[in-house]
Amino acid sequence: MAPVHVLDQYYLSITLLVTIAWQLIAFSAAWKFKTDKLTGFAGALMTLLLGNTYCGRNVAASYFAMIWAARLGGFSLLQVLTRGRDARFDGFRDHFGKILGFWIGQIVWVWVVSLPITILNSPSTAGPSPRTYVCNPDFGTSRDIAGVIVWGIGWIIEVVADLQKFLFKLTGPPPDVIMNTGLWRYSRHPSYFGEIICWWGIWIISISPATSGASGLSDSAKSAQFGAVVSPILTTTLLLFVSGIPPAERGMAQKFQKLSQDNKPTVNTAKGTTPTINAPPTDGTSPVDVVNPTSHMNVSKSLPDLPPVPSPWMAYQEYIAHTSILIPVPPMLYIRTPRIIKETVLLDWPWYRRVDPLQSNQSSEQEERAGDAVA
């Protein structure tokens, strides 16, 4: 069947209009009923198949995007149902302008991130004869295979990381417990890493027609396909600089700073986590004396002193020293990696380690949001 022409040959206008309408309907319902239970599904990716081109490449790219969106939407909804709210809106849930601004940002993200699939399925790429255009080259080129592998690796990493963190939270761990098991042993943000390479994989799949001289695509169509690289670039930029790693790292650091100001000694013996107690007293007493008051008394030569246990802040510092910020790396290799490699190849930039000073009047709600940022 010939592709359906709607407004423009790239489907940019129709996808933008549908995205705006869909997101505003979800926003209206969420605002009216004061519920966060719609935010997860409303952020799911919209993929239009108006091109009527069902070649393997189009089907694969479209299904990969929809599988990713359905999984993320379902998982986000599960988190909201479990917690009773979406922590992103704490502090401004009743502020109309701020909530609307969030949804407008989501409109832009959904539309931009969809561009590789939108253009691949559009008349500019499908053309009047699908066999002459998008199905040539046939699905299975080296780029197709590379894209499928990249997407598959990213999706598995994201799903496993989210599940591991969700199950960890369900156990109700003490606040000073650092999760360093599973994928979180190799990366402080494995789910972000998985999401980033998912969208690079979809873009790699979508550009196969543009890289083939036999596809018959116009120069403008090829440019549009290559230009859709803004999709993975936007996702990468947001997670690295805006809504992903920076607030998560800041919240985590402030959380452990706050815990280390508490003088109540708590011992963490959870399996697979970093054992911590709160900060040592300021009167010169050593951490050993806090845990074992008789450590310096000559009670028995056969009773060894208990080793000092780090405060939550020191335990957190040790964790980040051994754990890559994004790209999974074995801890023993990461700690031996030169700093120049960490700050370039591994993207562990210095500003991630800057911590804003804690305010003495920080509310319990703010503290909870800091914890949720890394959940």
Side-chain angles (χ1 to χ4, degrees), residues 71-87:
R71 201 283 314 178
L72 180 62
F75 181 72
S76 298
L77 181 63
L78 178 61
Q79 286 187 307
V80 172
L81 292 173
T82 302
R83 299 175 179 176
R85 76 197 199 289
D86 189 332

Side-chain angles (χ1 to χ4, degrees), residues 293-341:
T294 64
S295 61
H296 296 294
M297 299 180 184
N298 190 19
V299 176
S300 173
K301 296 293 185 180
S302 62
L303 295 177
D305 292 343
L306 292 177
V309 183
S311 70
W313 176 249
M314 294 305 297
Y316 173 67
Q317 291 296 307
E318 182 180 357
Y319 170 67
I320 64 175
H322 286 78
T323 313
S324 173
I325 184 77
L326 181 68
I327 303 172
V329 178
M332 295 306 295
L333 176 60
Y334 180 77
I335 197 171
R336 290 173 171 80
T337 302
R339 177 166 294 278
I340 185 65
I341 301 299

Side-chain angles (χ1 to χ4, degrees), residues 127-168:
S129 173
R131 179 61 194 169
T132 303
Y133 287 83
V134 76
C135 291
N136 190 3
D138 290 329
F139 182 60
T141 66
S142 59
R143 286 183 179 80
D144 292 330
I145 296 172
V148 169
I149 293 174
V150 169
W151 182 87
I153 293 173
W155 191 77
I156 291 172
I157 290 175
E158 185 176 6
V159 170
V160 172
D162 281 346
L163 180 60
Q164 289 175 339
K165 193 60 173 283
F166 180 73
L167 295 176
F168 172 75

Side-chain angles (χ1 to χ4, degrees), residues 124-125 127-128 132-134 136-137 209-210 212-219 221-222:
S124 68
T125 302
T132 303
Y133 287 83
V134 76
N136 190 3
S212 172
S215 66
L217 293 182
S218 65
D219 290 341
K222 291 181 179 179

